[in-house]
Amino acid sequence: MYLAEVKGNVVATTKNEKLIGSKLLIVQPINPAFENNGQPLIAVDTVGAGFGDRVIIASGGSARTVFQDKTPIDAAIVAIIDSLEIY
Amino acid sequence: MYLAEVKGNVVATTKNEKLIGSKLLIVQPINPAFENNGQPLIAVDTVGAGFGDRVIIASGGSARTVFQDKTPIDAAIVAIIDSLEIY
Amino acid sequence: MYLAEVKGNVVATTKNEKLIGSKLLIVQPINPAFENNGQPLIAVDTVGAGFGDRVIIASGGSARTVFQDKTPIDAAIVAIIDSLEIY
Amino acid sequence: MYLAEVKGNVVATTKNEKLIGSKLLIVQPINPAFENNGQPLIAVDTVGAGFGDRVIIASGGSARTVFQDKTPIDAAIVAIIDSLEIY
Amino acid sequence: MYLAEVKGNVVATTKNEKLIGSKLLIVQPINPAFENNGQPLIAVDTVGAGFGDRVIIASGGSARTVFQDKTPIDAAIVAIIDSLEIY
């Protein structure tokens, strides 16, 4: 999984029916120093994340496990970060 | 998932039988500022996307969930973007 | 999926038994302008592609769907390109 | 799989319920010379790894196989390295 | 799949139980000119590959198909290269 910060959301009227009701968030991958790390991606929220939250993203088939049905998503927010402990 | 813009399509007479009838589009990945982000890819359309549409692409096994049968695709257009809300 | 050009093939006597009989081709990823795009990979042919053909490659689990049995391949040629239509 | 060094952990109160009880570690990918190789990622520990351990990370669906249930993780620590033998 | 050269192996006493008995090799990805192509990875041997062998690596879920049980590996050596034929 990787760290990311929630930057916004996507408005999309026309979409795959299994995505109806899903919150599609724009997330910026970050490193543990909270610096940008690559280009923004789109992830489905599963934990009530909001603007500015630093989160953990699970990718690929792992993202699909957050839904009962097979859903065409490849990135899901699975945790909101309280803090990082770097030794 | 990532953002992309539809740039064209592929004409392919000889193809895996499960791809017959699928619309194979050339999509250019973009960032939230709508700037190019990497090289174009090929994605199967599932929402009626057309030239110039900005869309969301789901990759990997997630792309396969848009079909009932197991189909050899690893990228699918799953939404057409109306707008992005960046906070 | 991505575009690629067939550049050669691999001769391998010792291989996983499920790969026996598979044609292992060396493919060079290309962009829609037919310029090289990254390093060559190995893909299994499923459509009768030959030297110099420009093809579409499906990656990951999607590549495995071209076989009935679970086979240890992660890239398959799924179409031969006739032409690209760029708008 | 790739090599990594354990650098810290993530504290996250709000998370997908299937992640409750999982140890979310910050891991720095490294090469066989133990030099940093790319940006840190988040991996779930399955072998009792601790700070400073050099480990092997399995990614994607392979990471999920370490749990009985479908869990939204895409990286798991599957071994602690004693030594590398380079010929 | 991609080409790689076997460079060494990993000694790991503490590991996921499903990895017990697996040979964990350090492999250096190479291009068809046998030049290094990116950083070394860890792959499980399935064909009796040894030091210096040039091999084909299958990644992701495809690597898991070489075992009967679900095993947390994401890269497997599936063939030993005799030669490459570049046209």
Side-chain angles (χ1 to χ4, degrees), chain B residues 9 11 13 16 42 73-74, chain C residues 1 59 62 78 82 85 87:
Chain B
N9 65 277
V11 180
T13 310
N16 185 288
I42 310 302
I73 66 165
D74 61 21
Chain C
M1 292 76 76
S59 296
S62 301
V78 296
D82 296 326
E85 297 179 344
Y87 302 112

